[in-house]
Amino acid sequence: MKKIAILSLLSLSLIACGGEAEKKEDSKMTIGGNETEVKDEKSTESTEEENGVIQLSLEGNDQMKYNKKRLRAKAGAEVELTFKHVGEMSKQAMGHNFVLLKKGTDIMAFGEKAAGAVDNDYIPQDTYEVIVHTEMLGGGESTVLKFTAPTEKGEYDFICSFPGHVALMKGKFIVN
Ligand SMILES: [Cu+2]
């Protein structure tokens, strides 16, 4: 009887060990996954500071895409955003801008409203939803936008307000 008890104890501890080993492997895999995620995040944004001014850059191309999905700034910080249209198409065919919107703005509804503002570079004139925006650029053009980041932390949407572009050209401006 005793032997049986010992044997079953042994096998129990073996099972327990096996379980632990598996768990350890799992956590390793999770850590690896997190690391990749962090790397991805870094490659989609650049946060440099020069004389206390946060330097950000963003590009738009002929494929109707921004090169970053996220931009980051400290709450209330001075920001200098260099925005460049790296394509070759005209402003009339493939114009791009950067429009930073207030928290909670419905970006698709805003995009529709903006599409009607043909005479104002596709920025609705009577809107309270825009925090700041650049001019509309054509291929090869660039502009620098200086502004103060919102003082309220959180995620803000940025979009291109050229008709139809909001579906693909959108990102998060993260204030922390
Ligand atoms: Cu655009």
Side-chain angles (χ1 to χ4, degrees), residues 61 64 66 94-97 136 160-162 165-166 169:
N61 63 19
M64 209 199 287
Y66 286 132
M94 184 57 74
H96 296 318
N97 64 1
M136 193 67 74
C160 171
S161 69
F162 192 90
H165 287 201
V166 64
M169 298 187 75

Side-chain angles (χ1 to χ4, degrees), residues 10-11 17 20 25 32 51 56 72 79 84 91 100 116 124 131 133 139 152-153 169:
L10 265 173
S11 55
C17 276
E20 236 170 72
E25 244 167 62
N51 300 324
L56 298 174
R72 216 177 271 269
V79 176
K84 195 173 178 185
K91 176 178 155 177
L100 182 61
I131 296 172
H133 70 89
E152 196 187 324
K153 292 179 184 182
M169 298 187 75

Side-chain angles (χ1 to χ4, degrees), residues 10 28 33 38 44 52 55 60 117 141 148 153 163 166:
L10 265 173
K28 259 183 213 165
V38 171
T44 54
Q55 305 287 321
E141 294 180 327
T148 307
K153 292 179 184 182
V166 64

Side-chain angles (χ1 to χ4, degrees), residues 46-50 52-56 72 78 80:
S46 65
T47 308
E48 274 177 48
E49 226 173 294
E50 213 172 88
V53 180
I54 294 173
Q55 305 287 321
L56 298 174
R72 216 177 271 269
E78 291 305 306
E80 226 176 75

